[in-house]
Amino acid sequence: MNTTPAESAALDAVDEGAIAENLLELLAIPSVTGSAAESEAQHWLAERLRRLGLDVDLWSMDLPALQADPDFPGSEAPRDEAWGLVGVTGDDGPTLILQGHVDVVPPGDLGRWQGDPFTPRTVGRTVHGRGACDMKAGVVANLAALAAIKASGVQLRGRVAAHFVVSEEDGGLGAFGTLRRGHTGDACVITEPTSGKLVTANAGALTFRIEVPGQATHASTREAGVSAIDAYLPIHRALARLETVRNQTPDPLLAGYRVPYALSVGKLSAGDWASSVPDLLRAEGRIGVCVDEDPAAAREQLERCVAETCAADPWLRDHPATVAWTGGQFASGRLPVGDPLRGLVGDAYADATGREAPVESGAPYGSDLRLYAAAGVPTLQFGPGDVRLAHGPREQVPLDEVVDVARTLVLTVLRAVGPK
Ligand SMILES: [Zn+2]
């Protein structure tokens, strides 16, 4: 293993028992995005950061001011409050950010879970529960790295900042508010689940709502009206064609995905009575934003697709569908080409685990990465767990991956901002 004595000492200080314990405790806080438990998780973590001797900034965000900001990233869950949490070591020098979100998506159909989603279970060396991989394991890995460096007594020449945020799942207001408060850094590692890969680019995702008018009448005389459901069908087919066009030449980092920029309608509603012809259909969905594409261009393409479909349709020509942009608005983002952070984290993983350096990849979803990238902070994702298990009832994370990531972060920190 290619490490200095100071690095070895810090690696030896990674506490596997504390990792398991912290993960189970954090998973037991049901911090569904927008819930009061989101705040509880932030306060729980603030206490952990204080115990590690960090300077802690725990604040209640000014939601109306953030929402009024022209760059506000959008949100879906209603919220009375949102807490920001940053813990920093030291006063000056270059700053490496370790970032993680504490919110999780709702558990969905409880019947599909083996047990309560917020009563975490350990099976062998794997921890199960909502948020296990997305991304409380990553949050705990960040804590474990900070704890190991402190325990080893290594003095840093720069600073490490832990940024723990709410609302990643519904748009990123937590990361947005943290950056707006002036917390920044020279590089950032987000420990989202990446299955051992270095994720250096994210596609974006924009949430839309299409409203299609019809003309109501009694179902027995349906030919006297126009069904909004029938009127919607050509739009649905046109959206599928648009998805094909937008996925013809994806960024090479996303070329491994069959549909890197998915355009998907996730919610349809129409009508209010079985024997009435529906006069309104609502289709809600998301369109993927290509890496390096301006979200405005993606919006414009979808709006044009809907408008052209309407123009070619005898009913919609005079009663066009409308498009609104609602909920989370995730731009795409990437680590700049040639940035040293990828080599730093890749070598740290190889030296911490004795394995090969991880491969670089893109991810087809939007995340807080794009907000840090937009703020000029070179950012990548590297964290424990498999994102394909995120948001589902089999969500889990292998503890050994959490330990590997914690060890990787220890070396990343020491090589980026220390030792003195
Ligand atoms: Zn996540």
Side-chain angles (χ1 to χ4, degrees):
M1 208 180 288
N2 193 7
T3 51
T4 66
E7 290 173 350
S8 298
L11 285 177
D12 288 344
V14 171
D15 184 343
E16 299 190 13
I19 286 176
E21 216 168 281
N22 279 334
L23 182 56
L24 292 175
E25 265 191 63
L26 189 52
L27 285 170
I29 303 174
S31 52
V32 171
T33 203
S35 71
E38 243 187 352
S39 306
E40 194 190 325
Q42 290 290 69
H43 286 79
W44 185 91
L45 283 165
E47 179 53 31
R48 291 298 183 287
L49 294 177
R50 286 193 193 102
R51 282 187 210 164
L52 292 173
L54 275 67
D55 284 335
V56 172
D57 185 13
L58 173 68
W59 75 100
S60 180
M61 293 184 175
D62 183 346
L63 291 177
L66 292 174
Q67 282 154 359
D69 191 300
D71 293 328
F72 182 69
S75 64
E76 287 172 37
R79 259 188 199 78
D80 302 327
E81 60 171 15
W83 288 83
L85 172 60
V86 170
V88 190
T89 65
D91 300 325
D92 52 19
T95 304
L96 176 70
I97 300 168
L98 303 181
Q99 203 262 20
H101 66 82
V102 304
D103 59 318
V104 300
V105 296
D109 181 357
L110 292 178
R112 293 179 181 272
W113 287 82
Q114 287 186 306
D116 180 77
F118 296 107
T119 305
R121 294 174 301 121
T122 309
V123 181
R125 294 279 297 159
T126 300
V127 175
H128 296 248
R130 168 58 81 233
C133 68
D134 189 10
M135 59 166 283
K136 288 179 173 174
V139 167
V140 166
N142 293 346
L143 274 184
L146 288 163
I149 289 164
K150 179 182 161 66
S152 73
V154 177
Q155 296 295 308
L156 302 176
R157 78 189 145 73
R159 314 193 302 167
V160 196
H163 288 195
F164 294 135
V165 302
V166 299
S167 181
E168 190 277 340
E169 296 290 357
D170 76 322
L173 92 81
F176 182 72
T178 300
L179 291 160
R180 277 291 187 271
R181 191 160 167 96
H183 292 295
T184 184
D186 300 283
C188 174
V189 177
I190 301 179
T191 44
E192 290 270 17
T194 62
S195 306
K197 291 180 182 157
L198 278 184
V199 171
T200 56
N202 281 180
L206 308 170
T207 311
F208 61 80
R209 183 175 63 220
I210 299 173
E211 291 194 344
V212 185
Q215 188 173 306
T217 181
H218 194 282
S220 64
T221 58
R222 68 166 182 80
E223 75 285 358
V226 176
S227 161
I229 297 173
D230 291 340
Y232 167 67
L233 294 178
I235 295 175
H236 194 75
R237 288 191 289 270
L239 293 177
R241 288 193 296 273
L242 178 62
E243 184 194 61
T244 304
V245 170
R246 289 175 54 76
N247 281 278
Q248 263 157 6
T249 50
D251 187 276
L253 284 174
L254 284 148
Y257 295 92
R258 209 167 66 77
V259 187
Y261 308 125
L263 198 176
S264 174
V265 172
K267 204 169 155 188
L268 281 180
S269 58
D272 58 3
W273 194 248
S275 57
S276 297
V277 168
D279 62 358
L280 179 68
L281 177 139
R282 263 195 201 103
E284 292 169 79
R286 67 85 92 175
I287 179 172
V289 182
C290 308
V291 173
D292 296 332
E293 179 185 35
D294 185 343
R299 286 191 194 102
E300 209 262 328
Q301 265 196 21
L302 184 134
E303 286 170 8
R304 189 164 9 106
C305 168
V306 172
E308 285 174 2
T309 308
C310 291
D313 182 90
W315 165 257
L316 293 173
R317 189 181 302 140
D318 300 321
H319 309 84
T322 58
V323 179
W325 298 93
T326 59
Q329 304 291 307
F330 292 81
S332 60
R334 73 152 87 227
L335 181 70
V337 175
D339 191 278
L341 186 62
R342 53 169 67 72
L344 190 70
V345 178
D347 291 347
Y349 175 79
D351 290 340
T353 64
R355 294 190 210 114
E356 287 194 13
V359 296
E360 185 174 349
S361 173
Y365 50 80
S367 79
D368 284 343
L369 180 148
R370 95 284 190 193
L371 297 170
Y372 284 81
V377 183
T379 301
L380 60 72
Q381 292 170 331
F382 182 73
D386 183 342
V387 74
R388 288 171 297 184
L389 296 169
H391 296 212
R394 288 169 51 235
E395 184 167 1
Q396 57 189 271
V397 70
L399 278 170
D400 294 335
E401 283 188 28
V402 192
V403 174
D404 284 347
V405 169
R407 290 167 60 85
T408 303
L409 295 175
V410 164
L411 293 188
T412 302
V413 168
L414 292 181
R415 292 170 183 181
V417 298
K420 257 184 187 154

